[in-house]
Amino acid sequence: MTRDASAWKDGAIYEARACYRKTDSIDCKVAVLVVYRVKSRGRWDIDNRLKALLDAITGAQVCVDDKQIEHLTEVIEVTGKGTPETHVYVWEVVGV
C-alpha cells in the first residue's frame, strides 16, 4: 500500500470511529453504500480504494469482518469542482 493510500485508510478509520456510536461491532449481515464525490475520475483505482475502505470499516470496529457484507453498492459522482469526499453508509440486513 502506498504512503498516500495508508494515510487515506488511517483517516477513514478515524472518521468511522468518530461517527460510529455503538460500543459493539455489528456482528450480523450488513449492507454498505459508498458514495465517492470527486472532481474527476482521474487515475485512482476503484478496486484498491474499496479494499482500503472495507479494511477501514473493520479496523474501526464497525463490522467484525468484511465477509458480513451481503449487499455492496458504490456510486461515483463526478462533480467537476470542490474537495473530494467519500460517504459510507452501513446498516444491518434483517431477514437474510
Side-chain angles (χ1 to χ4, degrees), residues 11-27:
I13 290 171
Y14 175 82
E15 292 294 332
R17 284 185 179 148
C19 293
Y20 186 69
R21 306 227 187 268
K22 295 183 179 182
T23 56
D24 295 325
S25 300
I26 299 170
D27 64 354

Side-chain angles (χ1 to χ4, degrees), residues 29-91:
K29 297 291 184 185
V30 297
V32 178
L33 168 62
V34 181
V35 180
Y36 302 104
R37 290 194 179 111
V38 296
K39 285 184 184 182
S40 69
R41 269 305 289 268
R43 298 179 55 209
W44 56 270
D45 183 345
I46 195 166
D47 295 340
N48 290 336
R49 179 84 40 128
L50 181 61
K51 172 72 173 126
L53 184 60
L54 297 179
D55 288 347
I57 290 171
T58 56
Q61 299 176 341
V62 174
C63 296
V64 176
D65 194 305
D66 60 12
K67 288 188 268 185
Q68 295 171 248
I69 298 172
E70 187 75 19
H71 304 283
L72 173 64
T73 303
E74 287 183 289
V75 177
I76 301 170
E77 295 178 359
V78 179
T79 63
K81 60 184 177 182
T83 303
E85 300 175 347
T86 302
H87 297 265
V88 181
Y89 306 89
V90 179
W91 62 96

